[in-house]
């Protein structure tokens, strides 16, 4: 089964790091392909970045429809997730949602660690959107820029370790979610040190995608995610390809 | 006070219709300016359209910062609202949120009328996001394409009238919200016929904008809506202007 | 447009202070009239005061129906709001609801500052009633009697400033609501010092009233706020006037 | 133990009917006293009536403090409940809350039958306030005036029987609450005919009061229900007696 | 009226202690019978214990159907409550639910004190299941084993006193619930020292049972709690007696 | 990886049917083992059955600790799930939770089809417990006994097909969950006929288990699911084996 992982940002190094982290993990039969969007921000640190990323992600899915059996949006705010589900029959997995559905199967309550304080209300919104506000013991942040985090991963690990300990001891977290694709690869080490399951959201998403593909399930097309009809889009960066694979099936 | 109303789509006729509907209504001192985005879809009928529209809306706000004291996003799914609040000090009003906050001051429960059945789950999500699920008596839809609606406004009025009656009699609605900028101008007539307050969301938004400006209030910049830092955006349709008016104030 | 602001308590000095705070703010065409109820408590500090105030407020609305196009109940627990909406076609705005609907358009989350610790559970109830529990970052209180607050406004400002700082830094508040009509006039100064929008609920209510009147909207009369029928009230302070302006319209 | 039941309205016949219904039911050691307020509406059919009733109820509690060990507010919207809990150490039971806490111990979900359609949003608010929205299968109403209901109890029983059947078959109700003190006395007959527990809220309240008194429990005085301080009330129907029994205890 | 109290665990000393605590309290006409299950754990400290206890509790109810008019499950996680309600017409009261419905009639918000930290998420689940998450100011725990608590009740009282003070001062609790049958007997003393109502859940349950029996109410049998049909149970400790008293009534 | 699927009931034919349905589906490297509990009910149709099943399930997990890397409880009410997570390090997946977390990744809203009307409130409770009440468009039931359903699967398929159509057309379901292990094997056929994703909960659970094992994740042991200590259990069917594999790790 072919799973395409779309990095939310245009930083190819982050794409590589994600690839490295998940390739050891996925099933032998799974063929991973990594996509770094052509347009968009170099990192996702706020709502503006997410809006541009959503656009980029949907465009990449439209361009790569034939090349994958499932798509993963590898950015913790799941930018463009619902639009992506609209434009393709293939399942589209958001890493934030994937991490949360995994977390609630391993403990009563999870906490999210995130690199930026400003993302707290954004993440609280996402937790609520997916229905997990009663399972979320809190969001702990470390004041580091995302791009900085990408560069000095080893050093800043300590900061997240501290945040994780506080989540467990003060907030009652039983599971910890690393809230950023950029933190990929730290999960095992932090888990050993904290003594609780620590989730890499991209890995969780690969697991969800494999499971859904294995069952031959595809996105429902009867209501909210029906294919959009064709229409004029003015002056878009490159014309949006409005031909949907298998849309005649719906 | 200068209020810029950004149509969510690229259809200039809709922009005109909105203008017509609200200009008679706003305060004499208010200077309205209407913006039709240069890029984006000709109508907003699904999540995909909303994603592209969000991008377009934010870009228009960035380009027009000096020209307005407040912005209104005139599309009922409030595309790009949170990103828009991030990139400017000026208040940004979403017409869906504005309509709902008005509705709850006129009755216990409101229903939303919408032109498309596929938008139901999308609208339910929006109602929940704003905290009004207990005030929402339902969403009634009429199966008409948005562009069709734009063209035959008078004829399809009857369809919405029927939906409104059902909302009142079967669902217990006390206030009716016309869930689409495209329905602008029908509110007074439908209200007379239904015997309940019927809200034109763009008018509601103008009211909210005027009120907030009058109090000299601006978007909070201490947490979720802090200005984004400057960063590289690759290959965006036109380079996003990342200079924020008054950002030094925050 | 004529807006009548009904002070919730019988303290004429508070009525004056409110008048002073809002008159500079409202639209030129707006005619404000201030009403100090003839009966009721000298200040509203608890549920008992609110019950008596509710009675007084409704009576004032019944007496002043012809004299206003909209009414504002200027007491932060919105005493008598739903009954008031019942007895008149004119819109009735509660300052607590008005402040909250304004706050959520300026930031993800707001905190309320209140002069009395005992009001915390009361205010939490109100926040929930209006649907904003997920937008409320907390209620911070300063242990000062309301009447005391009325007298030494300048001195106690510091106490609220401290509470505001804690709300922002510890609770994540992005907007601060001054939870008491008695605090009218402090908003601009505190806002400058805290660096976040600080809302004077009465001003917010004037904005809501102006906006709703401008749209010619009136309270819905089809379900929960239908006019009460005439009936016998025994021994009420002064006979409740049960003739409703325009009730034949419903 | 002495339990005072305060009818929410001034209709002595309703007081008698309530008395009749509950006296056979309560414990032998319980001394019931019935109070018909001196001021207020002849029936409670809307928010306005409830506001006046709240005032009347609190006044009766203040006047009768020494004469009872517990108070019951016998009106299904629990008018003045929180203020009543403030002004006295003795427990104060609202019949709506008492009925709901009983219902959830007998079935997963209950429905409320009410004499007036206009009360639906009011009752939904009350259900939410007490935390039972997930236990409430619905509110079914019969369009009869409350005073009419008081007069022709036997005839209109059929109407409620029909509403009850619909609640069970269409809404999934397992328990039925008779939502009005005025319906007192119908519970046993309707229960036999419907085949489910049918609750008389006043009886439920007597049970709650007896149980709480038996445990020597009193209203908590540490936060929201602390005794109000003494203060000036202008021109109230009769001066509110602001001396609280045992207030020195708190 | 005959009320059977089923201790959730097999520790006869706890059964005695519970008996002692409640016998002075209940109505003279009430005949209490105490049941210590024949099978199950010596104490209930986790989900595993609760599963076995649920089994034991249901079996005791099946065996004792003719001997009681109401049953109380005296273990704070209410093990087997819904199954118990299924197998008998008689009302079955869970002490956790009984305590919470009592608490909300005495204050806005309650806190639960519990002997074990690991029970926190379990108790939060229970609070939510009953609809009281907005009334719950928190769960404070003291790290003592339940069996230890059973043995040194006097000494550990101080630990709970401290936890209670924190609940009141830091969390805003107005009422305190002793979250464990094993704490029976401490309520009055702790209440005096804390100055707030402190609830013994078993007493609360006796009050609820007496009240429900007094009204001749029984568990609803129309939907979720319909009697189970007879069926084969393999190798159960002792064959489950599947004859239900009065099941022909439903 | 070794996954043990524990049938919730003692009906070996259901175990076989489940096996047949999932074996074609799982990964080649997965070794499935099927467990039919030695004790317990022949089918799970109510709360009583679930209580006995919970006991049986936990016992089977204790007995089979060394033989599996993950456990699945194959009964749609997830009996004993939390206790099972307590007694073992290995992940334990409930099929109801697994189906719901899968459903929300394929559509906004799902409906559950269930063989028994009496299970509706039970299932609503489960949906709420997992946080999916806003994603659940309803529960549709077909009045067939579970054992009957097990015997005439082909015939009764039509009944479920009808229920599914109503769920989609009337309730807005986008995904359908077959709410019972006994319905295993019908998913693909019904999906084709309904035109929406139809989930077999056991398959979903296998997918979740494979994914979690692949990531080497285990149940969190720091709070709610800490291993129980050893203690005396009286007269249990067979002595509960209280030795936990790898418990020293925690």
């Amino acid at each position: 089964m072919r799973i395409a992982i779309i990095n939310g940002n245009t930083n190819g190094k982050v794409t590589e790091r994600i690839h490295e982290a998940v390739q050891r993990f996925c099933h032998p039969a799974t063929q991973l392909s990594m996509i770094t969007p052509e347009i968009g921000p170099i990192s996702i640190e706020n709502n503006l970045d997410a809006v541009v990323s959503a656009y980029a992600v949907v465009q990449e899915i439209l361009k790569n429809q034939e090349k994958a059996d499932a798509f993963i949006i590898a950015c913790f705010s799941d930018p463009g997730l619902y639009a992506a589900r609209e434009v393709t029959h293939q399942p589209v997995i958001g890493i934030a949602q994937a991490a949360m559905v995994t977390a609630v199967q391993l403990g009563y309550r999870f906490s999210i660690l995130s690199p930026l304080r400003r993302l707290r209300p954004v993440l609280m919104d996402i937790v609520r959107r997916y229905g997990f506000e009663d399972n979320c013991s809190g969001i702990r942040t470390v004041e580091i820029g995302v791009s900085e985090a990408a560069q000095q991963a080893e050093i800043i690990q300590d900061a997240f370790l501290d945040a994780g300990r506080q989540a467990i001891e003060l907030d009652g977290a039983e599971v910890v979610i690393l809230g950023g694709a950029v933190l990929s690869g730290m999960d095992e080490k932090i888990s050993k040190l904290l003594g609780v399951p620590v989730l890499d959201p991209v890995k969780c998403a690969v697991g969800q995608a494999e499971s859904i593909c294995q069952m031959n399930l595809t996105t429902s097309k009867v209501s909210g995610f029906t294919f959009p009809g064709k229409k004029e889009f003015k002056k878009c960066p490159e014309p949006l390809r409005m031909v949907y694979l298998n849309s005649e099936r719906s």
Side-chain angles (χ1 to χ4, degrees), chain A residues 84-86 88-92 212 217-222 225:
Chain A
R85 285 181 179 158
E86 250 173 35
T88 178
H89 241 109
Q90 281 93 318
V92 183
I212 284 170
L217 292 169
T218 54
T219 299
S220 178
K221 288 293 173 186
V222 299
F225 298 134

Side-chain angles (χ1 to χ4, degrees), chain A residues 16-44:
Chain A
E16 273 168 46
R17 176 197 296 262
I18 293 172
H19 191 203
E20 222 173 292
V22 298
Q23 66 183 356
R24 286 174 308 125
F25 151 74
C26 67
H27 276 284
T30 299
Q31 294 169 261
L32 286 185
S33 63
M34 303 300 300
I35 298 173
T36 309
E38 288 181 24
I39 68 171
I42 193 76
S43 63
I44 316 274

Side-chain angles (χ1 to χ4, degrees), chain A residues 3-8 11-23 31-37 60 64 67-68 72 74 181 184 202 206:
Chain A
I3 297 176
I5 300 179
I6 306 174
N7 181 3
N11 186 339
K13 283 190 188 163
V14 171
T15 314
E16 273 168 46
R17 176 197 296 262
I18 293 172
H19 191 203
E20 222 173 292
V22 298
Q23 66 183 356
Q31 294 169 261
L32 286 185
S33 63
M34 303 300 300
I35 298 173
T36 309
E60 295 300 332
N64 291 280
K67 299 179 195 149
I72 287 170
S184 269
V202 188
V206 171

Side-chain angles (χ1 to χ4, degrees), chain A residues 60-79:
Chain A
E60 295 300 332
I61 286 179
L62 283 167
K63 285 195 297 189
N64 291 280
Q65 282 179 83
E66 288 92 349
K67 299 179 195 149
D69 301 309
F71 292 95
I72 287 170
I73 303 176
C75 170
F76 199 73
S77 56
D78 294 352

